[in-house]
Amino acid sequence: MLHILYFVHDLADPAVRRRVLMLQAGGALVTLAGFRRDDNALAAIDGIEPIELGRTRDAQFAQRIAAVAKSAFKLRHALRSVPRPDVIIGRNLEMLALANRAKSVFGGDMPVVYESLDIHRLLLRDDVLGGTLRGAERRLGAQAALLITSSPAFVERYFKPRSGLHLPIMLLENKVLALEVAAASNVAPAARVPARGEPWKIGWFGALRCRKSLTLLDQFSRRMEGRFQIVLRGRPAYSEFDDFDGIVHDAPFMHFGGAYKNPEDLSAIYHDVQFSWAIDFFEEGLNSSWLLPNRLYEGGLYGAVPIAMDGTETARFLAGRKIGLTLDKADAAHLATLLGDLDEQRYLAAFDAVAAQDRKQWMIDRADCQGLVLRLASLTRANEQITELQALPQLNRNRGGLQ
């Protein structure tokens, strides 16, 4: 069984839980280590007791770097009871530093994998800080065996032209983990036209970190005077809002339903809405324009019509499949124009286009998980072959001396 040591930036992140479940479903043994930003019982994984390396704070990059540096000095002690791994994965740049440190702690030649699912805005700066961070990424990633990322635009817009990394790349999209394939893939979603007098619902689910989206959706729902209701679920990044709870409390047509378990609760929360807000202005024009968010795939699998922002990778994804709705300008007036004449016929046409898609493009099944683990296992075989080749000259010299 392949043993993977997985370093993560936030043990409470539901996406971390999903990745660990994927690796386990693929047949790997996973040791999880990382930092905790807050408590989230819904991110717990049965059978795994993570190695906690410390606490970090959201939107506090300097504090996170200091915490990582401190943990690097103590890493040998933290890993004292961990068996030697076959592969080490670092989920983002700070964790790549710890992955490299762990490799030296074990004194091995096991491959290190760099998993980068967001391009931090500091990496994209054209000043000394940005150049320094990209230089650090090049040094830390120089000996990595594989880069895992989630969107083609990350490769096209950053990794190839700017990062300076020259690594094999595996595209692993943020698809829904659906291990019960029969249940997930063979049951088509049903349309949900609201009853007479009931509002249409737009769901904004997942990592709630976009102040601009919150304001826009509040203004839009007020403008529509209750014809549309905004349903929020997930983990708010409170550091990004002046007063998230207060804004939602005062919004007459907006409701926050709290956190949820991913993937177990996805069917229920998406079947409660007609539309999925697949827009994020958190790092507008940069990471947010390039990513393909979890909610894109979740909404697609469960029949929620996605709403994307024009000019983004998400909009390009939808246009290629002729599905979804695209907002051409980020304000309440344009969203009202996009949705203002919505009726049952128009909704059903948009829903049918989503429901007609091949459901495999939205989800990852057990066979996909096994393929991921096999790809990681292949890195260990490549490493073994390199080690054998490096040993051949010495072996030949030894043989020569015996003759």
Side-chain angles (χ1 to χ4, degrees), residues 38-361:
D38 57 30
D39 296 316
N40 180 13
L42 296 178
I45 307 165
D46 291 341
I48 286 191
E49 187 67 34
I51 300 169
E52 296 204 19
L53 301 175
R55 286 261 176 177
T56 57
R57 294 191 294 273
D58 204 19
Q60 297 289 325
F61 187 72
Q63 186 269 336
R64 296 205 306 270
I65 293 298
V68 170
K70 182 178 179 181
S71 69
F73 285 108
K74 300 179 178 180
L75 198 58
R76 185 179 299 276
H77 178 74
L79 299 177
R80 65 192 182 282
S81 61
V82 176
R84 177 187 172 90
D86 300 303
V87 177
I88 305 175
I89 303 176
R91 188 182 176 102
N92 82 10
L93 182 55
E94 303 110 283
M95 297 303 101
L96 178 61
L98 287 185
N100 285 338
R101 170 63 180 148
K103 180 176 179 177
S104 67
V105 165
F106 286 104
D109 56 358
M110 68 282 293
V112 169
V113 175
Y114 180 24
E115 185 177 30
S116 179
L117 307 178
D118 284 298
I119 311 300
H120 197 284
R121 60 185 177 274
L122 294 180
L123 283 165
L124 298 167
R125 288 172 56 153
D126 291 322
D127 58 10
V128 172
L129 177 57
T132 300
L133 288 175
R134 287 191 298 275
E137 183 180 55
R138 283 193 297 274
R139 289 191 298 275
L140 293 170
Q143 301 303 315
L146 182 68
L147 168 66
I148 295 177
T149 194
S150 57
S151 170
F154 289 157
V155 179
E156 298 165 6
R157 305 296 295 273
Y158 176 71
F159 284 113
K160 284 186 176 179
R162 297 196 67 182
S163 73
L165 293 173
H166 304 286
L167 300 174
I169 297 173
M170 180 178 186
L171 185 65
L172 191 59
E173 296 171 73
N174 291 314
K175 297 182 180 182
V176 178
L177 180 60
L179 298 180
E180 301 301 326
V181 180
S185 62
N186 294 336
V187 179
R192 43 266 190 187
V193 177
R196 182 179 296 275
E198 293 296 313
W200 299 96
K201 293 182 181 179
I202 300 174
W204 180 24
F205 303 147
L208 307 178
R209 59 184 184 176
C210 179
R211 200 176 342 175
K212 188 171 179 177
S213 284
L214 187 66
T215 301
L216 193 161
L217 289 169
D218 180 23
Q219 292 175 347
F220 163 74
S221 60
R222 291 173 188 263
R223 189 184 188 102
M224 302 305 292
E225 299 179 334
R227 279 191 62 211
F228 287 81
Q229 184 181 69
I230 312 302
V231 182
L232 312 180
R233 295 293 302 266
R235 296 173 70 215
Y238 285 100
S239 61
E240 301 300 327
F241 301 97
D242 295 330
D243 181 10
F244 176 86
D245 294 329
I247 293 170
V248 174
H249 178 269
D250 293 339
F253 308 112
M254 184 178 285
H255 169 70
F256 177 51
Y260 57 91
K261 203 164 189 175
N262 186 337
E264 291 86 342
D265 295 339
L266 293 178
S267 176
I269 66 173
Y270 277 96
H271 281 132
D272 185 48
V273 301
Q274 289 84 29
F275 300 92
S276 172
W277 187 253
I279 296 177
D280 187 342
F281 303 105
F282 178 62
E283 292 178 353
E284 194 171 357
L286 301 172
N287 184 75
S288 291
S289 296
W290 304 340
L291 58 75
L292 292 174
N294 297 312
R295 57 182 71 97
L296 169 65
Y297 302 92
E298 295 165 0
L301 183 62
Y302 295 110
V305 177
I307 302 172
M309 190 70 213
D310 188 37
T312 64
E313 184 68 13
T314 303
R316 186 168 77 167
F317 179 100
L318 297 179
R321 293 157 178 79
K322 296 182 173 58
I323 59 174
L325 303 175
T326 301
L327 179 63
D328 57 4
K329 190 173 181 181
D331 60 40
H334 282 77
L335 186 56
T337 299
L338 180 67
L339 293 174
D341 64 350
L342 183 71
D343 57 17
E344 180 175 336
Q345 182 178 1
R346 186 179 171 213
Y347 161 68
L348 288 175
F351 168 83
D352 288 343
V354 174
Q357 298 296 304
D358 180 356
R359 294 170 64 70
K360 271 289 289 177
Q361 75 175 326

